[in-house]
Amino acid sequence: MKKKTTSLIDTLITKFDENLRAITGSLAPTKRLEPTENIAEVSLTSDEKQHAAGLMRVNHTGEVCAQALYLGQSMVANSKKIKQELKHCAEEEVDHLYWCQKRVHQLGSHVSYLNPLWFGGSFILGVVAGLTGDKWNLGFLAETENQVGAHLDRHLQKLPTADLPSQAIVKQMREDEAKHAETAIKFGAATLPTPIKQTMQLVSKVMTKTVYYL
């Protein structure tokens, strides 16, 4: 009994540490080359910088939410294989988190002040999704990635034409998100009911509108 209690406490401490580092942006990226590695910085107008920073801030908060979702889902997933896949996806999302934060700062701005709020809500949502069973857990993952992919496509159209570094980051993120969705489907993801999809889209719109400015 004592051994189990210690194990549970250790797990909770580890998860709390991961959560804190995700919110503060201090998670270490993988060794992948940054998408901007061979792209020279360009001169942007003040308005272009402000607009690009707002969009990249939204993308950063989206990655904060992704970390929370994956942590919540992986904590209650039944299958070890699915737990491992969620962990792998989360690791790639850490790269996105790091790239977006760095780019926001390069554009002379800050990440969202609302990140702790969005992280907490996403973590709870991840736990709830995980408790519904693995196929619905994966279904939620697949739908999330599909909606994020569509969101990134829109950002590619909205980013300043001259802001090639931000575009390169978003393109790599789009590629990774598509792979995550495909993997979830391959593992047996269920198709979510339309009302749930619509609710997810509504929440995403609220996040986008507020985080662009805050």
Side-chain angles (χ1 to χ4, degrees):
M1 182 63 69
K2 185 176 180 180
K3 184 176 181 181
K4 289 183 179 180
T5 302
T6 302
S7 178
L8 176 60
I9 292 174
D10 288 344
T11 299
L12 291 175
I13 291 174
T14 298
K15 294 300 180 184
F16 177 80
D17 178 63
E18 289 176 355
N19 295 352
L20 184 61
R21 286 187 289 130
I23 294 172
T24 59
S26 58
L27 287 170
T30 64
K31 295 181 179 180
R32 281 199 295 174
L33 287 178
E34 294 184 34
T36 58
E37 188 73 19
N38 298 311
I39 299 178
E41 188 59 79
V42 293
S43 177
L44 300 173
T45 67
S46 177
D47 286 345
E48 286 176 331
K49 276 189 175 183
Q50 184 177 7
H51 179 55
L55 295 176
M56 295 307 290
R57 178 163 47 249
V58 170
N59 292 334
H60 178 268
T61 295
E63 297 307 321
V64 169
C65 291
Q67 286 298 314
L69 284 169
Y70 288 136
L71 284 173
Q73 288 177 282
S74 64
M75 282 183 69
V76 295
N78 295 317
S79 167
K80 289 185 178 179
K81 193 171 185 179
I82 291 176
K83 283 179 180 285
Q84 187 59 39
E85 185 56 36
L86 287 167
K87 181 181 178 182
H88 172 70
C89 290
E91 288 173 351
E92 288 197 336
E93 300 285 355
V94 169
D95 287 340
H96 302 173
L97 190 73
Y98 176 80
W99 297 338
C100 287
Q101 176 176 283
K102 182 176 179 180
R103 185 60 188 156
V104 169
H105 290 163
Q106 287 174 340
L107 290 165
S109 193
H110 58 83
V111 296
S112 177
Y113 301 124
L114 303 176
N115 280 343
L117 175 65
W118 286 107
F119 186 96
S122 298
F123 179 77
I124 293 172
L125 193 56
V127 171
V128 172
L131 290 173
T132 60
D134 285 342
K135 71 173 185 177
W136 294 107
N137 195 1
L138 289 169
F140 187 80
L141 170 60
E143 181 59 28
T144 298
E145 298 294 10
N146 284 332
Q147 290 193 17
V148 169
H151 158 85
L152 292 173
D153 284 339
R154 290 191 293 271
H155 273 202
L156 279 173
Q157 296 174 358
K158 293 179 180 180
L159 280 167
T161 305
D163 190 2
L164 298 181
S166 294
Q167 291 179 34
I169 292 171
V170 173
K171 286 177 181 178
Q172 184 59 59
M173 289 170 62
R174 179 69 181 88
E175 182 180 322
D176 291 342
E177 308 295 0
K179 286 192 305 181
H180 296 166
E182 291 172 3
T183 299
I185 293 171
K186 182 180 71 175
F187 278 109
T191 301
L192 298 185
T194 300
I196 294 180
K197 292 182 181 181
Q198 293 174 337
T199 300
M200 291 169 65
Q201 291 172 347
L202 178 60
V203 172
S204 177
K205 286 181 180 179
V206 172
M207 184 273 280
T208 300
K209 295 292 185 182
T210 55
V211 170
Y212 179 86
Y213 298 101
L214 301 175

